[in-house]
Amino acid sequence: MRSLRAAHTLASRSLLLSARALHGTACPGAAAAAGGRWGAPPPAPSSRVVPAGIAGAVSFSLTFATVAAAEVQAKERLPVDLLPQNVVLYQYQACPFCNKVRAFLDYHDIPYKVVEVNPLSKKEIKWSEYKKVPILTVDGEHLVDSSDIINILQRKISPDDDVMSEEEAKWRRWVDEHLVHILSPNIYRTTSEALESFDYIAKHGNFSTVERFAAKYAGAAAMYMVSKKLMKKYNITDARASLYEACNTWTEALNGRNFLGGSKPNLADLAVFGVLRPIRYLRSGKDMVEHTQIGEWYQRMEDAVGEPSRIQDE
């Protein structure tokens, strides 16, 4: 019992740091907020809804609508000669910045393996001088920081298209400098929501048995308190209102387009989708879709990104 209590105490003390890592502070790209895949489960299989047409005056056949949607929202598959090889992602399952990278890989159908990093020991990245996630290795080259990783990959797969629009760059910065800071105050807004988030983290993260127990209970309690400090730090008076406002800001930026990129997602679309995907099926994510206009865009992104291109361990 003494050893169990000692282990629990150590895990609890360490967990505040590891929880911050999972929820943003140890992830590159932004100073602190919501971490890596924090806790929301990956998008559950959902029925794909194809727009039926314009109500009243005009209707489209279901077959035509389905084909049109597929043409607009298909994955961006790469020519074989441009496809990155031997791609390995070192991540926390709940890190928003890791989710950004995964969204890019999935959308471009780039096969990748995943190494889940233990947030307490970080033994899986002992070899790296860089101690944050995500880390991506491509043909032995080590890439770090989610935005830098995506920039480098984009240049690799589109060597003739190295110009990013000012609008795209602006909204990518908005994701790293604003959107991620709103997430932790929302997913840890109440004790029940904190437990919901850490229940997923405990089940899907790389924890020992004792660490898993501490992750769920001590971690939830710690991050509930941290979220209150984050609200003060980022001047957030109402967590849900700030989330709704951010979602509405994003949908207004679309200005009637299917995606910020027009007929297909650009890097800003993938970044917003990536950091929101972990919370989509938590209480905060359900409220987000219910109380804002982001749901239709999010569904289009789910369709466009499609199934993960992750290589499952044999």
Side-chain angles (χ1 to χ4, degrees):
M1 286 297 297
R2 181 178 300 176
S3 60
L4 179 60
R5 286 196 298 270
H8 178 267
T9 300
L10 176 61
S12 299
R13 290 176 178 174
S14 303
L15 198 63
L16 180 58
L17 294 176
S18 63
R20 289 174 177 170
L22 263 64
H23 298 274
T25 52
C27 294
R37 223 171 167 166
W38 337 260
S46 59
S47 58
R48 301 295 173 89
V49 178
V50 180
I54 302 174
V58 182
S59 65
F60 296 95
S61 72
L62 180 60
T63 301
F64 177 82
T66 303
V67 171
E71 289 176 350
V72 171
Q73 299 179 353
K75 277 178 177 280
E76 284 287 299
R77 290 186 169 87
L78 302 173
V80 175
D81 60 325
L82 292 177
L83 195 66
Q85 302 295 316
N86 302 319
V87 180
V88 181
L89 176 64
Y90 295 80
Q91 65 156 27
Y92 298 142
Q93 183 74 1
C95 170
F97 302 107
C98 299
N99 272 273
K100 280 172 57 183
V101 175
R102 281 204 309 274
F104 181 93
L105 296 172
D106 292 338
Y107 176 62
H108 291 286
D109 208 22
I110 299 171
Y112 61 97
K113 294 182 179 180
V114 166
V115 175
E116 190 69 22
V117 176
N118 183 301
L120 301 178
S121 67
K122 298 186 179 181
K123 61 183 180 181
E124 294 80 8
I125 54 174
K126 290 289 188 184
W127 52 269
S128 173
E129 294 182 3
Y130 188 82
K131 299 304 180 184
K132 301 176 183 180
V133 294
I135 299 174
L136 192 76
T137 63
V138 182
D139 286 329
E141 180 182 4
H142 302 152
L143 310 179
V144 300
D145 185 288
S146 61
S147 293
D148 288 346
I149 290 170
I150 290 169
N151 290 341
I152 292 169
L153 288 177
Q154 181 69 12
R155 288 194 293 269
K156 286 178 179 291
I157 67 175
S158 300
D160 299 326
D161 184 18
D162 197 25
V163 179
M164 184 188 308
S165 72
E166 182 177 336
E167 181 185 44
E168 185 177 8
K170 167 190 169 182
W171 288 103
R172 290 183 70 194
R173 289 194 301 271
W174 176 81
V175 171
D176 289 343
E177 297 171 4
H178 179 70
L179 184 60
V180 292
H181 298 308
I182 296 169
L183 300 178
S184 282
N186 273 279
I187 62 178
Y188 304 120
R189 185 176 63 122
T190 64
T191 53
S192 63
E193 287 181 279
L195 280 170
E196 176 193 35
S197 177
F198 267 93
D199 183 58
Y200 178 79
I201 293 175
K203 289 178 179 176
H204 294 84
N206 185 0
F207 294 103
S208 68
T209 301
V210 173
E211 290 169 348
R212 188 173 296 115
F213 176 87
K216 181 174 180 178
Y217 294 101
M223 287 307 296
Y224 172 76
M225 299 305 298
V226 168
S227 70
K228 304 308 175 187
K229 295 181 180 179
L230 290 174
M231 289 183 66
K232 291 182 180 179
K233 179 176 180 179
Y234 294 109
N235 240 2
I236 299 171
T237 55
D238 185 320
R240 279 295 193 273
S242 67
L243 178 61
Y244 299 160
E245 182 182 5
C247 291
N248 289 331
T249 296
W250 172 249
T251 53
E252 287 170 10
L254 298 176
N255 196 25
R257 294 169 288 184
N258 280 343
F259 307 102
L260 193 77
S263 62
K264 62 182 182 179
N266 63 15
L267 296 182
D269 287 291
L270 291 170
V272 176
F273 175 73
V275 301
L276 290 181
R277 184 160 58 170
I279 76 167
R280 171 60 184 91
Y281 296 98
L282 293 179
R283 179 70 267 164
S284 54
K286 292 175 182 177
D287 287 349
M288 171 187 76
V289 170
E290 181 179 349
H291 295 283
T292 75
Q293 300 300 313
I294 204 168
E296 292 183 3
W297 169 85
Y298 190 94
Q299 182 63 59
R300 289 194 293 271
M301 285 300 301
E302 277 196 330
D303 293 336
V305 172
E307 296 299 319
S309 51
R310 173 178 176 174
I311 301 170
Q312 296 296 333
D313 295 332
E314 296 181 358

